Amino acid sequence: MASAGLRDAPQLPDFGLLKRLARDQLVYLLEQLPGKKDLFIEAALMSPLDRIANVSILKQHEVDKLYKVENKPAYSTNIVNADKAAGRTRKYKIIFSPQKFYTCEMVLEEEGIYGDVTWDEWSFYLLPLDEDIISMELPEFFRDYFLVSINSVIQNLFLSQMVHELWHEIEEDSPVDTVGQKPEIGHIFLLDRDVDYVTALCSQVVYEGLVDDTFRIKCGEFHPRAPEQLLAFSVFSQIRNEHFSSVFGFLSQKARNLQAQYDRRRGMDIKQMKTFVSQELKGLKQEHRLLSLHIGACECIMKKKTKQDFQELLKTEHALLEGFDIRESVSFIEEHIDRQVSPIDSLRLLCLLSITENGLAPKDYRSLKTQYLQSYGPEHLLTFHNLKHLGLLTEQAPGETLTAVESKVSKLVTDRTAGKLSDAFSSLGRKSNFRGISKKLGLIPRGDGEYDLKVPRDMAYVFSGAYVPLSCKLIEQVLERKSWLGLEEVTRLLGGNEFVTGKRARENVALDAQRIVLVVFLGGCTFSEISALRFLGREKGLRFVFLTTALTNSARLLESTIEAKA
């Protein structure tokens, strides 16, 4: 199976420290209000809070009741004024996370309660979701930064460079004496989501990705009644990175093994039975319950995929990635829109068609846009505007070819002054060069025979052997070459910049640390990318750590572009 044991891989740093620090800070803030207290929590913070400090910890620090505050218009008076009107006297403390803004003070003043409350900040920024996954829990980052920000195109170009320079400034200005200390991480990659939209738009077929697409994993949990340890469950750790075609058989075999352990009771004497009940039965029941949950999840996934004719959908995606049967793919998308299967899935296919074909021909763009608006509503005109702004769904200029676009990219890379940079961006129109990049990096495997998904040979298994994730292939290439040398044409087509810290910095890194790679995704990371890089790590004896603004998938990414929710 793809998730076999790690081969000669180094130990990761203990990122659980981040969670413990956040919990200790929260406990300190709660203890500033002695006695029993009610806690009102914004809905978006419920899952992170439960991950950091569960109900039992809150109860230990005299939290009497918990209330979830929904993000809805308030039609009644606020709690403080309601208490005043009722003659109740209480103390009020607002804990802002991660920080308080001036507008918050303005709201308090408008409500007439500025002097009645105290405030503090709970500034946790990094939440460990797994031993190798750290999230900033900023799902709105993609929309706020890539779509809404003023001059977002120019900002996107320099985002990684700014983070890179800030990182080194912090290292240089750190008051901590680091003499004699060696870094615990040897390589750092900073990737904007718009470097690789294709991977985020493809249907996920590894188990954890499918679970996320179906149930929406949030803060490491995918089931409202499931315990936190579900996603740390030993069976899950063996199947999370597997292609879905391998999972159900694996779970069935586990169920048979579990039943065999139960059946051992039949030949036991009283003493053996007593030992079995006291030492094994509880663990077997827990394993049975969690195994049943995963089998149930598989059944839900299969039912949904059968209903959506998933195999035909994958066939169309693979054709788009390879550049074959484009007219047939367009017909499938038209039928998909006409049947009103799903507004998000229809958008996803449109965007995938646009990116892989370097924009749609004017005739196709107008036709498909008209069909979509007729099926799902004219309010989606704003959605098409947003998708065009992001470069996800664009229209080719009459007579425009890949060569013409490449020349614009070349102009963009060479024009370094602010004025010329802005002009170059305007002329570029955020076009894709996927086909050229795919050819240069070999993103479409050309192996002989059928791809064995149970014993994968490369990262393409995360997309059924049809496509190697661009983001992951870039990382693999740089690690193999130990630099960006030889990838100049790829970076030119991407229209971006590369940053290398140089050999001097790597000489000060411990041997094990050189095999630990931190990958920072700005704008979201998918479980397909995580599974692909975990596979690469097992093959190369590396360990990857994922730091992301949030976990994402095609639905989350596209929902952030929709003004009127369908």
Side-chain angles (χ1 to χ4, degrees):
M1 295 183 75
S3 53
L6 292 167
R7 186 179 67 188
D8 187 31
Q11 287 292 110
L12 292 176
D14 178 18
F15 296 113
L17 175 64
L18 297 170
K19 185 165 72 172
R20 295 192 292 272
L21 288 172
R23 182 175 61 235
D24 291 347
Q25 185 188 14
L26 177 62
V27 167
Y28 172 78
L29 294 174
L30 292 175
E31 288 178 346
Q32 303 307 301
L33 286 175
K36 289 189 175 181
K37 53 189 79 71
D38 293 341
L39 196 58
F40 294 80
I41 308 165
E42 185 183 354
L45 282 174
M46 288 294 287
S47 292
L49 176 64
D50 187 57
R51 191 87 185 176
I52 292 169
N54 55 34
V55 174
S56 61
I57 292 176
L58 297 177
K59 294 286 186 184
Q60 290 173 17
H61 296 279
E62 300 186 277
V63 173
D64 188 34
K65 295 179 182 178
L66 291 172
Y67 299 92
K68 182 168 73 170
V69 180
E70 298 284 356
N71 187 22
K72 295 179 180 178
Y75 299 105
S76 60
T77 186
N78 62 65
I79 296 171
V80 178
N81 286 333
D83 282 348
K84 285 181 181 180
R88 288 189 294 265
T89 302
R90 291 196 283 191
K91 292 182 178 179
Y92 309 93
K93 186 183 189 73
I94 301 177
I95 300 176
F96 295 96
S97 180
Q99 65 187 88
K100 178 179 70 69
F101 294 100
Y102 175 67
T103 50
C104 301
E105 296 184 13
M106 292 176 60
V107 172
L108 294 176
E109 287 181 353
E110 289 173 2
E111 293 292 321
I113 59 174
Y114 185 83
D116 298 307
V117 302
T118 58
W119 60 270
D120 218 316
E121 295 177 346
W122 184 33
S123 54
F124 80 91
Y125 292 96
L126 303 176
L127 180 63
L129 302 182
D130 210 318
E131 66 169 355
D132 59 352
I133 303 175
I134 304 169
S135 175
M136 302 178 198
E137 288 303 294
L138 297 173
E140 70 282 356
F141 179 90
F142 177 79
R143 177 181 174 85
D144 290 348
Y145 194 88
F146 289 88
L147 181 60
V148 177
S149 294
I150 300 172
N151 298 322
S152 61
V153 177
I154 295 177
Q155 288 185 10
N156 290 349
L157 180 68
F158 293 114
L159 177 59
S160 293
Q161 184 175 10
M162 286 161 44
V163 175
H164 176 268
E165 292 175 352
L166 178 61
W167 187 292
H168 282 278
E169 286 179 13
I170 292 172
E171 280 188 333
E172 292 172 3
D173 297 340
S174 173
V176 179
D177 183 11
T178 58
V179 176
Q181 295 184 9
K182 292 189 175 182
E184 295 185 74
I185 294 175
H187 306 269
I188 300 171
F189 289 86
L190 302 165
L191 291 174
D192 292 352
R193 183 68 272 170
D194 62 356
V195 167
D196 178 15
Y197 281 138
V198 169
T199 297
L201 290 171
C202 288
S203 294
Q204 302 195 87
V205 288
V206 292
Y207 180 59
E208 193 165 14
L210 273 169
V211 166
D212 186 36
D213 285 349
T214 307
F215 301 100
R216 294 295 182 101
I217 293 175
K218 188 173 183 181
C219 270
E221 296 183 28
F222 77 82
H223 193 283
R225 294 181 298 279
E228 181 179 326
Q229 67 265 29
L230 174 65
L231 295 187
F233 180 39
S234 60
V235 170
F236 180 72
S237 67
Q238 296 176 67
I239 62 176
R240 66 191 310 179
N241 302 306
E242 293 298 315
H243 190 277
F244 187 66
S245 61
S246 306
V247 172
F248 202 82
F250 179 82
L251 292 176
S252 298
Q253 182 60 51
K254 280 287 182 181
R256 288 192 289 270
N257 294 343
L258 192 61
Q259 186 60 49
Q261 289 180 280
Y262 273 117
D263 292 343
R264 288 173 42 231
R265 295 174 296 177
R266 295 173 183 172
M268 292 181 179
D269 57 29
I270 295 176
K271 184 178 180 181
Q272 290 171 328
M273 181 63 75
K274 184 178 179 181
T275 302
F276 175 81
V277 170
S278 63
Q279 296 182 5
E280 297 183 47
L281 186 59
K282 184 178 179 181
L284 288 175
K285 286 183 175 180
Q286 172 78 345
E287 189 171 353
H288 181 269
R289 184 171 66 86
L290 296 175
L291 187 60
S292 297
L293 181 58
H294 284 290
I295 291 174
C298 285
E299 290 173 343
C300 288
I301 291 169
M302 291 179 73
K303 183 178 179 181
K304 180 180 178 183
K305 297 309 178 187
T306 301
K307 184 179 179 181
Q308 293 181 346
D309 201 2
F310 192 54
Q311 291 305 317
E312 283 299 311
L313 191 67
L314 287 182
K315 181 181 175 182
T316 300
E317 288 184 23
H318 295 170
L320 292 175
L321 291 168
E322 295 176 17
F324 296 144
D325 300 324
I326 298 303
R327 296 319 307 173
E328 187 177 328
S329 297
V330 171
S331 297
F332 178 87
I333 296 171
E334 289 176 326
E335 180 187 354
H336 202 273
I337 293 171
D338 185 57
R339 288 164 50 209
Q340 297 183 321
V341 177
S342 160
I344 290 294
D345 269 348
S346 295
L347 268 187
R348 185 173 65 80
L349 291 171
L350 286 173
C351 292
L352 201 55
L353 172 65
S354 173
I355 293 175
T356 55
E357 289 299 299
N358 194 34
L360 302 181
K363 181 180 177 182
D364 286 336
Y365 182 86
R366 290 193 295 270
S367 174
L368 290 166
K369 180 179 178 181
T370 299
Q371 291 176 64
Y372 189 93
L373 295 176
Q374 288 174 344
S375 284
Y376 301 114
E379 64 272 17
H380 285 287
L381 274 170
L382 285 173
T383 303
F384 276 81
H385 170 78
N386 291 340
L387 293 172
K388 182 178 181 181
H389 177 77
L390 290 166
L392 281 166
L393 184 52
T394 60
E395 179 182 7
Q396 293 176 357
E400 186 168 43
T401 63
L402 182 61
T403 304
V405 176
E406 285 183 347
S407 68
K408 292 179 182 178
V409 175
S410 179
K411 181 178 185 295
L412 169 66
V413 174
T414 54
D415 288 347
R416 297 296 183 178
T417 63
K420 290 184 178 180
L421 184 62
S422 180
D423 292 341
F425 266 120
S426 299
S427 64
L428 178 60
R430 298 190 63 79
K431 295 291 185 180
S432 164
N433 293 296
F434 175 77
R435 200 70 67 211
I437 295 168
S438 176
K439 186 177 179 181
K440 292 288 183 185
L441 291 177
L443 300 183
I444 310 299
R446 299 296 181 187
D448 297 328
E450 201 167 310
Y451 195 100
D452 188 349
L453 295 171
K454 292 184 179 180
V455 188
R457 57 176 178 261
D458 55 30
M459 292 185 288
Y461 89 93
V462 301
F463 292 117
S464 301
Y467 164 67
V468 180
L470 167 57
S471 55
C472 304
K473 188 69 174 181
L474 277 173
I475 292 169
E476 178 190 41
Q477 289 291 302
V478 174
L479 290 174
E480 283 184 357
R481 299 166 186 266
K482 295 183 172 57
S483 74
W484 288 88
L485 290 176
L487 296 172
E488 295 84 0
E489 182 69 9
V490 173
T491 58
R492 183 177 71 83
L493 290 171
L494 286 170
N497 293 283
E498 72 279 1
F499 308 99
V500 183
T501 56
K503 293 182 180 179
R504 182 183 60 82
R506 287 198 295 270
E507 291 171 357
N508 295 324
V509 180
L511 185 61
D512 271 356
Q514 290 180 25
R515 295 188 293 147
I516 295 178
V517 184
L518 173 64
V519 185
V520 184
F521 285 89
L522 301 166
C525 173
T526 68
F527 281 109
S528 295
E529 289 165 313
I530 290 173
S531 292
L533 288 175
R534 283 173 176 163
F535 174 86
L536 180 65
R538 288 190 294 272
E539 292 291 298
K540 305 294 185 182
L542 302 170
R543 290 296 298 270
F544 286 90
V545 179
F546 306 92
L547 171 58
T548 178
T549 48
L551 291 166
T552 194
N553 56 25
S554 58
R556 291 192 189 96
L557 186 144
L558 291 173
E559 283 167 2
S560 69
T561 71
I562 296 177
E563 301 295 341
K565 303 298 181 185

